[in-house]
Amino acid sequence: MSDFAGMEELLNDFLLEASEMLSDVDSKLMDLEKYPDDSKLLNEIFRGFHTIKGGAGFLNASELVTLCHLTENLFDKLRNRELVLSAELMDVIFAATAEVRRMFGALQQSIQPSAAPAEMIGALKAALAGKTGLKTGPKAEVKGPGGIQPPAPGAQSSEVDWEALYSALTGTDIVAKVGATRNPEKIAEAVSEEESTKAAFGRRDNDVPGTTVGRRDGDVPVKEAKESTIRVDTARLDQVLNLSGEIGLTKNRLTHLRSDIVQGRHDADILRELDQSVTQLDMLVVNLQNAVMKTRMQPIGRLFKKYPRLARDLARQLGKDVELVLSGEETEMDKTMIEDLNDPLVHLVRNAVDHGVETIEGRIAAGKPEKSIVELSARQEGDHILITIADDGRGMRPEVIRNKAIEKGLITTEVANTLDENQCLELIFLPGFSTKDEISSVSGRGVGMDVVKTNIQKLNGVVNIQSEPGKGTVLTISLPLTLAILPVLILRLGDQSFAVPLSMVREILSITPSQLQQVSGRATMVVRGEVLPVLPLAQLIGWEQSVAPEVGVLMQFGNNSFILSADDFAGHDDVVIKSLDTFRPKGVAGVTMSSEGDIVLILDIKELLSDVRGH
């Protein structure tokens, strides 16, 4: 049962505005750490909390109002110079913003958020009273309803209140549960076993819906459902409206010409006007299509501004000094792609901070500045977007990665000896690969980079790595501007048309029986000295091959190349993909329609190849 019955529209509007405002506050807090005396920043952050508090008041979200009110009062004192900003005070503020975001997660599930942890409220009140020595440490980001923080780096287990930790997380007494004396080491062991089991098998009974469970410290909270709304500049909507009006006028002209033709008028003037009207309609439709696509385009900076906070919290947890520098935030790309990029970029930023850059001591020993710089940038090149994550850390050594992959049984020694340096670096994308021998709250599970590559490939993108030992690592993601319009090559198999993404096509070849050679029972073909497998399209989709294929398409999938053979090809086109929601055959990404009115199936080459490899 929703706690906001009858207020759904108001709730959605509030979450849309407030979530963006909170991200903006987080970004300004990062700037405030560098410039603690900036009055403009203090005023803007104050207004942010004040506005969120006002919206929460309309929704009767009293716990959110209470938290925002205390934080707002704190910034009021800071901007009036009644308090001085310190590092520990910043930790309290960052913890408060994390708790506000946790409350947003509950609101997204139409549930009134639970109260903020008493420790946090106490820390805010103590700060307002001007007291120092607050207990909120560097990793003050709140994780879930308990609000319990991990111990500071180097802290001994005897300094952690394990009873309070378990009680806050589960609402039960661990000592009574295990039937033991109050031995800190045994309590810690029981807590670890109990919580690791629950993280592996699902949510706890008292979890607040909308909060993240089983994620690592420092992760950006993930929304349970994607936003269904989008902000569009009114100038772009005006352009769509104007083009729609022009198309309407052209349609009226075509209707009149059709009437004349039906009545028997076929003179040269009528045919000339018909040709002009069709040409004009074609131009207007292309312009309208481009204008509508622009309404889906959003600046990637809305996604980027989440990550400086992520990098800051993780760096402090690991005892490192890291600054995340953003550039190209104004670069625009399809909103749906921006949402799907969140998880891959979280992994890459985390890896740069955890694996890429050294500790302060390590950087000093290597003759580097104490502060590490991680750069996250975006730019448009042609019809693609390039996103780069670069660090000035220790870099990656191909031989170390190759040996680790052999050690974990991911590749054999024979295969490893055939790999060049770049292929060795790409071993980090293998499922289960990790350079860490011990699992921590940050890394070591062997999941992350394989997820990055899989998610990027779903967006028809590729990931490239460049690394120099001792200098740093650069990962580059190349993505199409949008997935709504896809350039394709149209192939023919009998009377049916099939489309394959043009981004995978490298060359079109003619195939004759004399060019085909059998290697280990499979058809192959030599192209400029390279032996490539020939995969008939009919075989991939499970059809019977009636005649020998005459056309081959040299395709590249990741680092693998092969020739896809078909009966003929019908040129290339930019098509609008129609998804198959109720029924989706395996290996079919969607459908479109040809200029002749025929249905064209758009093939999912990756899925079809996985079936071939499975056999």
Side-chain angles (χ1 to χ4, degrees):
M1 179 68 182
S2 171
D3 292 338
F4 298 93
M7 304 173 67
E8 289 83 359
E9 187 174 349
L10 180 62
L11 176 62
N12 290 335
D13 289 344
F14 167 76
L15 287 173
L16 180 64
E17 296 281 348
S19 296
E20 187 173 327
M21 189 170 296
L22 185 61
S23 295
D24 192 48
V25 165
D26 259 342
S27 178
K28 287 182 169 61
L29 284 173
M30 298 299 298
D31 294 334
L32 189 64
E33 270 197 316
K34 303 175 190 174
Y35 312 104
D37 297 324
D38 192 319
S39 300
K40 183 180 178 182
L41 284 174
L42 290 169
N43 283 321
E44 289 175 345
I45 297 170
F46 169 83
R47 284 194 295 270
F49 279 107
H50 181 76
T51 304
I52 294 173
K53 183 186 78 170
F58 277 111
L59 297 170
N60 296 319
S62 56
E63 300 300 343
L64 180 55
V65 170
T66 299
L67 181 58
C68 287
H69 181 67
L70 287 171
T71 314
E72 175 192 8
N73 289 346
L74 187 59
F75 273 95
D76 190 39
K77 289 199 171 189
L78 285 170
R79 67 177 185 165
N80 292 327
R81 309 303 176 188
E82 297 176 30
L83 289 176
V84 177
L85 195 62
S86 63
E88 59 184 6
L89 188 53
M90 282 299 299
D91 290 328
V92 174
I93 294 167
F94 274 121
T97 60
E99 180 65 14
V100 170
R101 196 174 295 280
R102 194 275 302 172
M103 291 184 175
F104 283 176
L107 289 172
Q108 285 170 343
Q109 304 299 317
S110 298
I111 296 173
Q112 285 285 5
S114 57
E119 296 89 342
M120 175 179 294
I121 298 298
L124 285 170
K125 290 180 177 178
L128 283 168
K131 296 180 181 178
T132 57
L134 304 177
K135 294 183 180 180
T136 306
K139 301 174 295 302
E141 184 174 356
V142 176
K143 299 296 171 192
I148 300 300
Q149 307 307 321
Q156 301 297 321
S157 61
S158 61
E159 297 174 355
V160 180
D161 190 349
W162 291 105
E163 299 172 42
L165 170 63
Y166 189 84
S167 178
L169 288 172
T170 65
T172 60
D173 185 354
I174 184 62
V175 176
K177 183 163 184 145
V178 301
T181 59
R182 297 187 177 273
N183 184 312
E185 293 183 1
K186 184 150 188 178
I187 294 173
E189 181 182 351
V191 170
S192 175
E193 180 180 354
E194 182 78 9
E195 290 311 314
S196 63
T197 303
K198 290 182 176 179
F201 291 98
R203 291 183 173 273
R204 298 182 288 269
D205 294 337
N206 59 345
D207 277 341
V208 175
T211 57
T212 54
V213 174
R215 296 179 70 83
R216 299 170 297 204
D217 294 80
D219 278 353
V220 175
V222 177
K223 296 180 180 179
E224 298 294 332
K226 292 182 179 179
E227 292 181 2
S228 58
T229 58
I230 187 172
R231 285 189 172 187
V232 181
D233 190 339
T234 54
R236 292 184 174 180
L237 290 178
D238 288 342
Q239 185 183 10
V240 171
L241 183 61
N242 290 336
L243 288 169
S244 301
E246 293 288 338
I247 289 175
L249 294 175
T250 305
K251 183 209 72 169
N252 293 340
R253 181 58 182 156
L254 285 171
T255 302
H256 181 72
L257 290 171
R258 182 186 65 176
S259 177
D260 288 343
I261 293 173
V262 168
Q263 292 175 10
R265 293 183 58 190
H266 300 96
D267 56 77
D269 290 340
I270 289 292
L271 295 179
R272 185 175 61 256
E273 288 188 27
L274 178 62
D275 180 64
Q276 290 175 350
S277 297
V278 171
T279 301
Q280 184 178 11
L281 181 63
D282 181 63
M283 180 188 66
L284 289 172
V285 168
V286 170
N287 290 339
L288 178 62
Q289 192 177 54
N290 291 334
V292 171
M293 289 308 306
K294 286 183 179 179
T295 64
R296 294 166 55 99
M297 306 296 276
Q298 298 285 293
I300 201 170
R302 294 186 179 182
L303 180 66
F304 277 10
K305 65 183 180 183
K306 299 178 182 179
Y307 302 126
R309 167 73 185 274
L310 166 66
R312 171 210 181 262
D313 289 347
L314 183 58
R316 297 198 69 181
Q317 177 182 340
L318 298 173
K320 299 180 179 181
D321 187 2
V322 179
E323 180 181 357
L324 182 64
V325 179
L326 305 179
S327 62
E329 300 102 309
E330 68 286 350
T331 304
E332 291 188 331
M333 65 186 303
D334 196 307
K335 179 179 182 292
T336 56
M337 295 181 66
I338 289 179
E339 292 172 344
D340 291 335
L341 270 176
N342 181 54
D343 272 353
L345 290 183
V346 165
H347 284 300
L348 292 178
V349 171
R350 290 180 59 87
N351 272 18
V353 176
D354 181 24
H355 297 276
V357 303
E358 309 95 332
T359 60
I360 295 176
E361 294 78 9
R363 291 182 66 83
I364 293 175
K368 296 182 178 180
E370 293 185 12
K371 176 175 286 189
S372 306
I373 302 297
V374 177
E375 298 181 8
L376 177 59
S377 63
R379 68 182 188 276
Q380 181 176 344
E381 285 192 1
D383 60 350
H384 277 70
I385 296 291
L386 295 183
I387 299 175
T388 303
I389 300 94
D391 65 69
D392 61 350
R394 58 175 65 92
M396 293 189 287
R397 290 177 169 80
E399 66 278 6
V400 173
I401 293 175
R402 180 176 55 216
N403 293 337
K404 183 63 74 169
I406 296 173
E407 176 188 326
K408 290 182 174 290
L410 301 177
I411 60 172
T412 62
T413 305
E414 292 76 16
V415 172
N417 292 333
T418 66
L419 302 179
D420 59 27
E421 289 191 356
N422 191 59
Q423 290 172 328
C424 288
L425 293 178
E426 293 187 351
L427 291 175
I428 66 173
F429 293 116
L430 290 176
F433 181 88
S434 176
T435 56
K436 293 291 184 74
D437 294 321
E438 296 181 359
I439 295 177
S440 69
S441 63
V442 179
S443 61
R445 295 170 177 81
V447 294
M449 295 305 287
D450 62 314
V451 174
V452 169
K453 186 170 185 179
T454 301
N455 288 352
I456 295 302
Q457 286 180 342
K458 286 180 182 178
L459 298 175
N460 291 333
V462 294
V463 188
N464 293 316
I465 308 176
Q466 292 179 325
S467 187
E468 184 177 351
K471 300 292 185 182
T473 302
V474 179
L475 284 100
T476 304
I477 300 172
S478 177
L479 295 163
L481 278 175
T482 177
L483 294 179
I485 297 179
L486 181 68
V488 296
L489 178 69
I490 300 177
L491 303 176
R492 301 284 295 179
L493 199 61
D495 295 330
Q496 179 62 48
S497 297
F498 297 91
V500 294
L502 199 60
S503 60
M504 293 184 178
V505 176
R506 292 294 172 265
E507 190 176 348
I508 297 175
L509 310 163
S510 60
I511 297 180
T512 60
S514 61
Q515 293 175 301
L516 298 179
Q517 302 176 15
Q518 296 293 322
V519 177
S520 300
R522 293 176 179 255
T524 61
M525 184 173 168
V526 179
V527 180
R528 286 184 293 278
E530 184 179 4
V531 179
L532 298 174
V534 178
L535 302 177
L537 177 57
Q539 176 188 334
L540 286 181
I541 62 176
W543 285 18
E544 290 187 7
Q545 185 78 50
S546 56
V547 296
E550 298 180 357
V551 173
V553 181
L554 177 53
M555 306 193 71
Q556 186 169 354
F557 171 59
N559 292 323
N560 301 317
S561 298
F562 66 97
I563 296 174
L564 183 67
S565 61
D567 295 345
D568 197 2
F569 72 95
H572 66 88
D573 199 359
D574 292 338
V575 300
V576 178
I577 303 173
K578 300 293 183 183
S579 60
L580 300 171
D581 296 327
T582 56
F583 171 69
R584 180 181 178 273
K586 196 165 189 178
V588 177
V591 297
T592 188
M593 188 169 288
S594 68
S595 57
E596 292 84 10
D598 298 329
I599 297 295
V600 179
L601 299 180
I602 302 172
L603 300 178
D604 186 337
I605 297 296
K606 302 180 184 71
E607 192 171 48
L608 291 174
L609 284 180
S610 67
D611 285 350
V612 172
R613 289 170 180 166
H615 290 91

